[in-house]
């Protein structure tokens, strides 16, 4: 409380000699506990035995007359991931407390008080009081002179839990009592206004104080554990004189139980760096770094100037704005010309733009509507005099068609002066509406229209030489058809060739050199491969892609541009294109008849959404990432010194093994196991994490892992995840077990890459497998004395990344739900999450979980949703106060975090086991944007009703199953998903690196 506290204590009986008083300590410890604390007022749990006793309560403001308090107080503090705990045992011959209202004037009673000031250099601090009746006062004061008790007593809800235990009777002034005790806890989310929970070793300022009203005292006696001596009166709010409280972290042993790993050891011996292959000829470098963009998606040069126009999105594929730089794009200055209620995809300037100022926008919307969206081409006029404004009122609709998903919307002018427009199949998956081969609509096509000689009543006409003008029932605007999701179109300014990139479905990505009347086959074909052969092909033959990549190389092809710049003569005339998911950039040269040259040009970490050319005709790459990461990049030659590195060709060379023969890794590698393993044809697996060191030589420690509760964790560069595979050469006999493969998944320059090492026959060494991967057969003796042959696939570099996808954040098994289990650390069984926390290798953003816990507490208190939102906003605002900081400590105990059940454990529920198996084996692709073409979402955390799995008709093969469903409840003979898991061959799942059926999973 902030009322004046000038309370002179009158000596009415003998007092201790002032000379006997000793100045109170100024530094204390709040110690960590893993043990449970039951809030009952007695503080008799084993956890309290480790707490520091704070018992030097005194009256320091009496200066030379300072003395200990008349009645003894023994206080203790503890903390864990969720709470700060407090306990105090107080002698008191006269128990008095009559304030029962929460946040009432509890200091008018016998009361125990706690003051916490989280930051010395920030003004905010907290006051908590519990009186002998158990009444609580809780209050945050943003500054000492900010209005005091009357202003802030009800400013925000706290969640203090406290209980008292009395040794005597309350409010009977005619008896003699012994004392009282209090025990309580405060959740760390109640401290969010000052940044929340402390980190290990952090120091706060604090004071523990007490009011004692006794009939033998003329005034209540005030005492404190803090050295409050600057003033000549008692002021518990004089935080300049508070003591220091250091939050001491978990000890290496808790309750005499050793941790699975005693301490963190940095891995300084790793030689896993670089690549065994020579680098691509180019890399990317950012240009125009001052341009502050949200989600850039397209860029084009404005004719007749050095200005660039680009499309930026408020969020990923959200409402778009069309912007324009100055004559110097590097200045970072730009103007917003137009904002749309839709996704804008591309821009095209009329061939006579210098005269008419026409710019054509391909877009789809409105995004504010949930249905009836259309892809449109709209023409706007840009003024021909400075400052060259775009007039929104000049909008003229050229053409439109209903589409919601694969929308096309690319626009270019050919050298023939015609406007070419792309459209997709209009849906978001496997040509649900079966539009790919139809000619009676505008979907799944390249359209060709004449905007300079429009028909009466519309903004264009159809050129007479379009291929299907005379075909009855066909839309005459059609130039080519059979496209799924065309993404980017360009015109070669020299040859007039038109190129279209096309996003594939299951396994293939394509680009086409567009010819008059071509049929690209979707959805009867995916590129050159059969897809739905039972669907009717259009009236013209299927045309194979000009460029085609498997999903082991590309996942989402972004069409490019044809390069004719001066900077890179070796690329002149090449079609340069890329991949949104892998960041790879390729080039292909076509002589008008066939591809005569094709190769990878660069391997980047960009999310490539488009290519463009600057005013000088030099290549630009659009990076579609938010939070200020996205922007524009250019190719630059790979430096000569970046040749193939001295990458380890054997496990012995990797620096990660003390003994390859014995499969003993270096001490710093952290072993781990998973709850739900990926099926690997029955192989035994051992897994390790090798974190790179940080800090100066001699003081290295492991760098940290970005912890998340959902999805895989994020790792620093030069991390190596190690997984070794062994087969039992005699079925069911672990003694016959033999190592056959070790895989490294390593992060280099922000990108993950996988490498395989094949063990030799005597299991003494393993050698790096070549880029393309390899197959090998092993003879396995069976239990009946016979034998069988087992094929083992050593995956190629690209096959590794099919499953280790961007949507899965590349790392599959290292996630909270997978690692939340015990592991045997060489005879010591311990929680993996607790071990990693103890080692200090986790970097945890504590705040989101704390905010969620706060919201849950407010909702449980009965507040309406609006009130909850208001309270959360109030209680999480830390403006001008200590800011939140990441921690090495989990926000909750490990057992409170999600855990995947063991699919093979009979004591788990059947649904949980099946879903856990699907999560580990399928969800890396079959999640949102995961690359899996089916509409199912198999992540374990997805509610079953939203998986789109139960009773749903398959969009692909039915494998001859009658009345097939993905999962037909109670009818396995109709369930396509079960069929895929239960066989090997076309359509099998998992699709890679397995030749044997997991019989337990099938059951």
């Amino acid at each position: 409380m902030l009322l004046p506290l000038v309370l002179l204590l009158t000596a009415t009986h003998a007092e201790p000699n002032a000379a006997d008083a000793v100045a109170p300590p100024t530094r204390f410890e709040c110690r960590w506990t893993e043990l449970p604390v039951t809030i009952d007022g007695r503080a008799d749990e084993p956890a309290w035995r480790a707490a520091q006793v704070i018992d030097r309560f005194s009256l320091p403001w009496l200066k030379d007359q300072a003395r200990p308090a008349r009645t003894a107080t023994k206080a203790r503090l503890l903390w864990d991931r969720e709470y700060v705990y407090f306990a105090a045992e107080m002698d008191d011959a006269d128990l008095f407390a009559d304030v029962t209202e929460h946040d009432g004037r509890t200091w008018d009673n016998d009361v125990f008080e706690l003051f916490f000031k989280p930051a010395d250099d920030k003004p905010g601090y907290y006051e908590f009081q519990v009186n002998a009746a158990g009444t609580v006062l809780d209050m945050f004061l943003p500054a000492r002179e900010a209005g005091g008790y009357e202003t802030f007593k009800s400013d925000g809800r706290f969640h203090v839990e406290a209980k008292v235990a009395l040794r005597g009777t309350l409010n009977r002034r005619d008896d003699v009592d012994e004392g009282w005790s209090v025990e309580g806890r405060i959740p760390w989310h109640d401290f969010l206004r000052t940044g929340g929970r402390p980190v290990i070793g952090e120091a706060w300022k604090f004071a523990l104080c007490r009011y004692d009203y006794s009939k033998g005292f003329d005034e209540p006696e005030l005492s404190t554990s803090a050295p409050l001596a600057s003033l000549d009166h008692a002021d518990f709010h004089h935080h300049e004189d508070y003591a220091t409280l250091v939050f001491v972290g978990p000890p290496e042993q808790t309750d005499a139980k050793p941790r699975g790993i005693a301490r963190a050891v940095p891995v300084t011996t790793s030689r896993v760096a670089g690549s065994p292959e020579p680098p691509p000829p180019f890399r990317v470098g950012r240009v125009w770094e001052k341009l502050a963009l949200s989600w850039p998606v397209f860029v084009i040069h404005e004719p007749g100037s050095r200005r660039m126009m680009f499309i930026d999105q408020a969020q990923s594929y959200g409402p778009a704005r069309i912007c324009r730089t100055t004559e110097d794009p590097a200045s970072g200055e730009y103007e917003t010309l137009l904002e749309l209620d839709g996704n804008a995809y591309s821009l095209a300037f009329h061939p006579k733009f210098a005269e008419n100022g026409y710019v054509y926008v391909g877009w789809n919307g409105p995004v504010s509507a949930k249905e009836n969206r259309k892809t449109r081409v709209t023409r706007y006029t840009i003024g021909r005099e400075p400052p060259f404004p775009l007039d929104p009122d000049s909008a003229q609709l050229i053409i439109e068609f209903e589409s919601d998903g694969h929308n096309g919307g690319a626009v270019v002018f050919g050298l023939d002066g015609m406007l070419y427009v792309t459209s997709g199949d209009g849906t978001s998956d496997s040509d649900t509406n079966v539009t790919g081969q139809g000619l009676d609509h505008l979907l799944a096509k390249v359209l060709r229209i004449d905007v300079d000689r429009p028909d009466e009543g519309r903004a264009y006409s159809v050129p007479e030489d379009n291929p299907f003008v005379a075909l009855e029932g066909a839309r005459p605007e059609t130039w080519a058809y059979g496209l799924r999701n065309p993404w980017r179109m360009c015109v070669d300014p020299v040859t007039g060739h038109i190129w279209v990139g096309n996003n594939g479905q299951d396994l293939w990505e394509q680009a086409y050199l567009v010819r008059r009347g071509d049929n690209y086959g979707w959805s009867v074909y995916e590129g050159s491969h059969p897809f739905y052969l039972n669907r009717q092909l259009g009236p013209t033959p299927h045309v194979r892609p000009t460029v085609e990549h498997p999903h082991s190389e590309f996942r989402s092809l972004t069409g490019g541009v044809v390069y004719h710049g001066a900077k890179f003569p070796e690329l002149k005339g090449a079609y340069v294109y890329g991949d949104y998911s892998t960041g790879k950039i390729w080039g292909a040269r076509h002589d008008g008849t066939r591809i005569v040259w094709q190769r990878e040009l660069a391997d980047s970490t960009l999310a490539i959404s488009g290519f463009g050319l600057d005013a000088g005709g030099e290549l630009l790459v659009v990076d579609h990432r938010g939070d200020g990461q996205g922007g524009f990049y250019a190719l630059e030659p790979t430096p000569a010194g970046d040749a193939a590195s001295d990458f380890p060709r054997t496990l012995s060379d990797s620096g990660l093994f003390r003994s390859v023969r014995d499969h003993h890794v270096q001490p710093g590698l952290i072993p781990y196991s998973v709850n739900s393993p990926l099926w690997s044809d029955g192989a035994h697996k051992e897994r390790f994490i090798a974190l790179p060191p940080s800090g100066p030589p001699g003081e290295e420690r492991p760098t940290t892992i970005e912890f998340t509760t959902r999805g895989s964790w994020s790792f620093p560069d030069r991390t190596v995840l190690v997984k070794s595979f062994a087969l039992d050469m005699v079925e069911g006999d672990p003694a016959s077990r033999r190592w056959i493969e070790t895989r490294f998944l390593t992060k280099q320059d922000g990108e993950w890459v996988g490498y395989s090492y094949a063990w030799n026959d005597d299991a003494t060494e393993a050698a790096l497998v070549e880029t393309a991967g390899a197959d090998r057969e092993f003879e396995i003796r069976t239990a009946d004395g016979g034998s069988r042959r087992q094929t083992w696939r050593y995956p190629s570099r690209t096959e590794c990344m099919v499953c280790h996808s961007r949507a899965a954040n590349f790392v599959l098994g290292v996630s909270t739900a997978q690692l939340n289990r015990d592991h045997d650390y060489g005879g010591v069984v311990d929680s993996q999450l607790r071990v990693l926390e103890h080692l200090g290798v986790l970097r945890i953003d504590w705040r989101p979980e704390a905010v969620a816990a706060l919201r849950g507490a407010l909702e449980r208190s009965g507040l309406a949703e609006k009130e909850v939102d208001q309270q959360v906003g109030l209680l999480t605002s830390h403006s001008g106060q200590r800011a939140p900081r990441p921690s090495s400590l989990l926000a909750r105990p490990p057992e409170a975090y999600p855990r995947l059940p063991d699919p093979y454990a009979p004591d788990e529920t059947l649904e949980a086991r099946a879903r856990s198996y699907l999560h580990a084996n399928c969800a890396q692709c079959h999640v949102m944007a995961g690359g899996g073409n089916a509409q199912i979402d198999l992540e374990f955390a997805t509610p079953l009703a939203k998986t789109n799995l139960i009773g749903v008709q398959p969009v692909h093969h039915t494998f001859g199953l009658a009345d097939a469903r993905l999962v037909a409840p109670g009818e396995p003979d109709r369930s396509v998903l079960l069929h895929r898991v239960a066989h090997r061959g076309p359509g099998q799942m998992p699709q890679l690196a397995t030749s044997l059926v997991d019989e337990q999973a099938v059951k």
Side-chain angles (χ1 to χ4, degrees), residues 659-707:
S659 170
V660 172
R661 177 188 294 270
D662 299 317
H663 201 263
H664 289 170
V665 296
Q666 293 287 354
L669 272 71
I670 303 171
Y672 71 97
S673 52
V674 298
N675 282 313
S676 183
L678 180 74
W679 170 245
S680 300
D681 287 354
H684 166 78
K685 289 179 270 192
E686 291 187 7
R687 307 167 181 84
F688 304 89
I689 301 170
L691 293 172
S694 63
E699 300 178 21
E700 297 99 339
R701 62 167 293 106
T703 48
T704 54
I705 305 165
E706 296 286 342
F707 172 92

Side-chain angles (χ1 to χ4, degrees), residues 904-947:
Y904 309 109
D907 55 337
E908 300 280 1
T909 66
L910 182 61
E911 178 182 321
R913 292 163 58 199
R915 295 207 58 194
S916 178
Y917 185 89
L918 295 174
H919 176 98
N921 287 273
C922 312
Q924 60 267 31
C925 288
H926 292 294
V927 290
M928 182 66 66
N933 71 314
Q935 299 174 357
I936 53 178
D937 182 347
L938 298 180
E939 189 175 31
F940 187 82
T942 300
L944 186 63
K946 295 185 178 181
T947 59

Side-chain angles (χ1 to χ4, degrees), residues 63-84:
K63 301 294 192 294
D64 293 342
Q65 300 300 312
R67 59 172 177 80
R70 290 187 177 93
T71 49
T73 302
K74 182 184 294 184
R76 289 168 288 180
L77 299 172
L78 291 170
W79 70 305
D80 64 14
R81 301 172 185 87
E82 299 177 282
Y83 300 95
V84 58

Side-chain angles (χ1 to χ4, degrees), residues 959-980:
F959 301 97
L961 305 182
D963 194 19
R965 296 292 185 269
L966 295 179
V967 171
E971 300 184 71
D973 291 341
R974 295 173 52 213
S975 298
V976 166
L977 185 145
L978 179 63
H979 177 83
R980 288 184 180 271

Side-chain angles (χ1 to χ4, degrees), residues 717-737:
D717 266 359
R718 298 198 66 175
T719 293
V720 186
L721 302 179
V722 181
K723 180 159 64 173
S724 289
F725 301 78
L727 291 178
D728 292 346
M729 295 296 111
V730 179
E731 283 185 348
D733 181 11
S736 69
R737 189 165 291 163

Side-chain angles (χ1 to χ4, degrees), residues 353-616:
F353 174 75
E355 302 170 22
N356 57 33
Y358 291 165
V359 61
Y360 296 77
V361 181
W363 64 289
N364 178 274
V367 294
S368 58
K370 293 185 177 180
E371 53 188 21
N372 299 322
R373 293 178 179 173
K374 295 182 178 182
T375 294
R376 300 175 171 88
V377 178
T378 304
R379 187 191 76 194
Y380 293 90
T381 301
I382 294 178
R384 298 296 75 214
E385 299 293 335
F388 308 107
L390 184 149
D391 180 9
D393 294 332
S394 67
Q396 180 178 11
L397 178 65
I398 303 298
I399 192 171
E400 67 177 6
F401 42 88
E402 288 192 7
S403 183
D404 188 7
H406 301 151
N407 297 323
V411 287
V412 297
F413 277 93
L415 298 189
D416 56 4
M418 300 297 109
L419 181 65
Y420 292 78
V421 181
T422 64
S423 61
D425 64 19
T427 65
S428 58
D429 198 75
S430 306
D431 195 11
T432 305
N433 298 330
V434 196
T435 61
Q437 290 296 297
L439 288 177
D440 57 344
H441 52 74
L442 296 180
L443 295 173
K445 295 174 175 59
V446 175
L447 310 174
R448 180 175 180 257
I449 58 178
D450 185 344
V451 295
D452 290 333
R453 288 164 285 277
D455 294 333
E456 185 175 350
R458 64 179 179 181
Y460 68 91
S461 62
V462 175
E464 294 181 355
D465 59 343
N466 273 11
F468 301 104
V469 168
L471 182 64
E472 184 177 355
R475 288 299 298 253
E477 298 92 337
T478 303
W479 183 252
Y481 68 104
L483 291 169
R484 176 182 180 269
N485 186 28
W487 186 258
R488 301 288 171 239
M489 178 168 55
C490 75
V491 176
D492 185 333
V494 174
T495 66
H497 290 162
I498 295 176
W499 288 86
V500 170
N502 186 55
N503 293 160
Q505 177 87 33
D506 272 11
L507 298 171
W508 302 93
E509 300 293 312
Q510 312 94 37
Y512 296 93
L513 178 57
V514 178
R515 308 284 193 180
R516 180 181 184 273
D518 278 356
N519 174 10
Y520 301 124
W522 178 251
S523 57
V524 179
Y525 291 88
E526 180 187 20
S528 61
H529 304 270
F531 192 76
Y532 272 132
L533 290 180
N534 59 332
R535 289 182 174 174
Q536 182 66 43
L537 198 65
T540 58
H542 170 224
V543 176
R544 293 175 178 269
T546 311
V547 166
E548 188 169 40
H549 290 274
H551 273 183
S552 58
E553 291 179 346
F554 271 45
R555 300 306 296 269
S556 180
L557 188 143
T558 294
V561 295
V562 180
Y563 178 78
H564 289 284
K567 195 173 181 180
F568 305 118
E570 67 271 35
L571 298 182
K572 204 167 190 68
Y575 174 61
V576 180
Y577 60 101
D579 187 61
Y580 181 88
S581 293
T582 67
K584 290 183 179 293
I585 299 172
W586 280 59
R589 189 175 287 113
H590 200 280
D591 67 0
T593 303
R594 61 187 177 88
I595 293 286
V596 296
W597 170 89
Q598 185 181 17
R599 70 166 298 182
E600 181 181 334
L601 301 179
D603 186 5
S604 75
T605 61
L606 309 182
I608 301 172
S609 61
F611 292 84
L613 299 169
D614 66 14

